[in-house]
């Protein structure tokens, strides 16, 4: 069984039991809606790709993520966010190109593929650059796919270019989850720090009285 099915299955179960509630609160989405979306995404993996000349587009791995990105694009509303987005995209493209140049044939029959830990690193680094999981997601989506397109152009051999393959979707999900977890941890840190500061102010006011 491909890892993407295991990953989505686990995420569906976790979302049904409201595990990771801070993520749903951040996204302002009910956890049952998340479960339904993940289930639909899982079913869409069985839908044949859309083929245009030498390009094959996966509905679950490319079309759906692009549609989601259209809603997030307005968040690029400041020069700082745009610059961090561009830096993250270029970094992701570089990582994808380097990854494609390395021979990982020894891991062909392994359940855990080399791109999985790379996805975690990319999710962490892009979040540190962007400081927002939404911008991190956009940079990962465009960076991974642009990296695939550039590598395809460099190594053109008449093969079909597949955008949104199961590997790409898995990498996107893992990296996005990593950035969401980082954002959740940072949010808790800031919240705890603010709470300590407020308590300190209250103690000072009490002393002054």
């Amino acid at each position: 069984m491909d890892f993407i099915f295991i990953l989505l299955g686990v995420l569906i179960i976790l979302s049904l039991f409201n595990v990771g509630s801070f993520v749903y609160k951040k996204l302002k989405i009910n956890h049952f809606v998340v479960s339904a979306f993940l289930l639909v995404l899982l079913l869409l993996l069985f839908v044949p790709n859309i083929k245009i000349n030498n390009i094959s587009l996966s509905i679950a791995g490319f079309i759906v993520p692009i549609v989601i990105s259209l809603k997030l694009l307005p968040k690029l509303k400041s020069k700082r966010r745009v610059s961090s987005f561009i830096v993250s995209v270029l970094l992701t493209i570089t990582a994808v190109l380097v990854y494609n140049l390395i021979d990982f044939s020894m891991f062909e029959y392994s359940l855990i593929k080399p791109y999985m830990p790379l996805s975690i690193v990319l999710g962490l680094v892009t979040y540190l650059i962007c400081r927002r999981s939404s911008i991190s997601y956009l940079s990962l989506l465009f960076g991974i796919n642009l990296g695939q397109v550039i590598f395809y152009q460099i190594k053109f051999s008449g093969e079909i270019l597949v955008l949104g393959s199961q590997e790409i979707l898995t990498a996107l999900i893992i990296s996005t989850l990593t950035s969401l977890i980082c954002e959740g941890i940072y949010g808790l840190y800031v919240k705890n720090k603010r709470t300590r500061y407020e308590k300190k102010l209250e103690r000072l006011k009490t002393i002054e009285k």
Side-chain angles (χ1 to χ4, degrees), residues 1 7 13 16 19 28 32 61 179 194 200 205:
M1 181 182 290
L7 177 61
I13 294 171
L16 282 172
V19 177
K28 296 179 181 178
F32 289 116
S179 64
R194 188 182 295 119
K200 187 176 180 180
K205 288 179 181 177

Side-chain angles (χ1 to χ4, degrees), residues 93-109:
I93 289 174
T94 303
V96 170
L97 291 175
V98 172
Y99 175 83
N100 282 321
L101 290 171
I102 301 174
D103 181 18
F104 291 110
S105 57
M106 66 183 76
F107 297 97
E108 183 179 357
Y109 299 104

Side-chain angles (χ1 to χ4, degrees), residues 41-206:
L41 192 65
L42 179 63
L43 295 175
L44 285 174
L45 287 171
F46 296 97
V47 178
N49 290 3
I50 299 172
K51 294 183 179 179
I52 305 172
N53 296 326
N54 285 338
I55 302 175
S56 180
L57 306 176
S58 167
I59 295 177
F62 184 77
I63 303 296
V64 172
I66 287 293
V67 171
I68 294 173
S69 72
L70 295 177
K71 184 179 179 181
L72 298 177
L73 281 174
K75 292 185 179 292
L76 295 172
K77 56 186 178 182
S78 67
K79 290 183 179 179
R80 184 189 176 283
R81 291 186 186 182
V82 172
S83 60
S84 64
F85 166 74
I86 293 173
V87 171
S88 294
V89 168
L90 293 175
L91 175 68
T92 306
I93 289 174
T94 303
V96 170
L97 291 175
V98 172
Y99 175 83
N100 282 321
L101 290 171
I102 301 174
D103 181 18
F104 291 110
S105 57
M106 66 183 76
F107 297 97
E108 183 179 357
Y109 299 104
S110 173
L111 180 63
I112 306 300
K113 306 294 183 182
Y115 69 85
M116 295 176 185
L118 175 61
S119 301
I120 295 174
V121 173
L122 281 175
L124 173 61
V125 173
T126 54
Y127 174 74
L128 291 175
I129 294 172
C130 301
R131 292 305 177 99
R132 284 179 177 270
S133 58
S134 55
I135 311 298
S136 175
Y137 168 82
L138 287 171
S139 63
L140 289 163
L141 173 63
F142 287 100
I144 291 173
N145 285 289
L146 284 173
Q148 289 294 109
V149 172
I150 293 171
F151 183 75
Y152 174 79
Q153 293 296 330
I154 295 173
K155 193 189 174 183
F156 182 73
S157 59
E159 297 178 357
I160 294 177
L161 170 62
V162 180
L163 293 178
S165 64
Q166 290 185 11
E167 283 193 357
I168 290 177
L169 179 58
T170 303
L172 183 61
I173 291 174
I174 292 174
S175 53
T176 301
L177 281 174
T178 303
S179 64
L180 281 169
I181 291 171
C182 289
E183 190 169 57
I185 293 172
Y186 179 72
L188 288 173
Y189 167 76
V190 171
K191 184 178 179 181
N192 290 334
K193 189 175 181 180
R194 188 182 295 119
T195 301
R196 287 197 299 269
Y197 178 73
E198 289 173 352
K199 287 182 178 178
K200 187 176 180 180
L201 280 178
E202 287 178 4
R203 284 198 298 269
L204 288 173
K205 288 179 181 177
T206 304

